[in-house]
Amino acid sequence: MTATEGPSAGEGAPVRRGDSRTDTEGTGTAVRAEPARRRGDTVAEVVRQWRAVHPDLDTGPMEVIGRINRCSALLQQAEDAPLRRAGLTRPEFDLLGALRRTGHELTPSELARETFSSGAAVTKRLKQLTERGLVERRGDTRDRRVAHVRLTDAGRDLVDGVLPAQLAYETAVLSGLEGPERGELAALLGELLGQLEGRPGTLRA
């Protein structure tokens, strides 16, 4: 297993907090000491194991990509309490939010781009949200194949009611980071995201 596969919490040998070893299982290869804050996460143990197996390889990228993937997996597994109470999934909220923050009608293809979703997924969510009376569709007067989607009053009220609670929930999730650290992390992730979005072809195997 690589670090980017995001090991489950129970996989791998337990990591002792405060472990200050600088040698990978007696290989004589020096390993730089990790900050106390990082010691103990599951990716750190995976990286340590790979260094023991392949001390000649640079496992630095695993420390970044592996942690991003692991955080993503854990956040996806966690239930967003405010959204759950409102009867929404995260993708549904993202779709409603796109309509609210842009402030105008969007086509399904535009919604797919705004929410990083497939066209089929957006179509399914729109059907469910339409049945709940949260969005409504109208046909294009010039092209019957095109639909325009907008929030209903109920949809707008739902988004405005959920957003403050959702932001409070996300603040609690990030409570372990100080304000400056959070800003630095946001900037670094923004830089990485901008680079990846600018060269999508490089993401293909």
Side-chain angles (χ1 to χ4, degrees):
M1 174 176 288
T2 67
T4 56
E5 290 175 322
S8 63
E11 291 177 351
V15 178
R16 294 191 297 273
R17 292 189 181 277
D19 190 348
S20 59
R21 288 174 299 175
T22 58
D23 185 84
T24 55
E25 298 301 320
T27 62
T29 303
V31 177
R32 70 179 180 277
E34 300 215 51
R37 165 163 273 167
R38 287 189 176 179
R39 286 198 299 267
D41 69 63
T42 54
V43 173
E45 175 64 7
V46 170
V47 170
R48 186 195 67 77
Q49 291 169 345
W50 275 120
R51 284 174 176 165
V53 174
H54 286 293
D56 55 318
L57 296 181
D58 177 14
T59 55
M62 286 185 183
E63 298 185 57
V64 177
I65 304 300
R67 287 187 171 99
I68 289 175
N69 284 345
R70 179 63 172 160
C71 286
S72 176
L74 290 172
L75 288 171
Q76 289 176 8
Q77 291 172 13
E79 295 187 38
D80 291 357
L83 301 186
R84 186 177 69 252
R85 287 194 294 269
L88 294 172
T89 63
R90 163 61 75 169
E92 289 172 342
F93 179 74
D94 288 344
L95 194 153
L96 295 174
L99 290 168
R100 183 67 173 115
R101 60 184 165 77
T102 57
H104 55 75
E105 297 178 339
L106 294 172
T107 65
S109 60
E110 289 171 334
L111 282 168
R113 288 194 297 270
E114 287 285 339
T115 59
F116 309 104
S117 303
S118 69
V122 167
T123 297
K124 179 180 178 180
R125 290 165 195 151
L126 284 177
K127 181 176 183 297
Q128 295 169 336
L129 294 172
T130 300
E131 292 172 350
R132 292 183 57 184
L134 300 176
V135 301
E136 56 187 14
R137 304 166 62 126
R138 70 172 182 84
D140 191 286
T141 55
R142 292 172 297 181
D143 189 343
R144 294 182 179 179
R145 296 170 298 179
V146 178
H148 298 270
V149 183
R150 63 185 175 188
L151 286 174
T152 63
D153 290 343
R156 185 182 63 252
D157 291 344
L158 181 61
V159 172
D160 289 349
V162 169
L163 184 59
Q166 181 62 19
L167 287 173
Y169 170 83
E170 293 176 358
T171 297
V173 170
L174 297 173
S175 61
L177 297 176
E178 300 293 336
E181 293 175 319
R182 193 184 309 173
E184 183 179 2
L185 176 60
L188 290 171
L189 289 174
E191 183 175 345
L192 175 61
L193 180 59
Q195 293 177 5
L196 295 177
E197 289 180 335
R199 46 188 174 89
T202 62
L203 300 181
R204 300 191 184 96

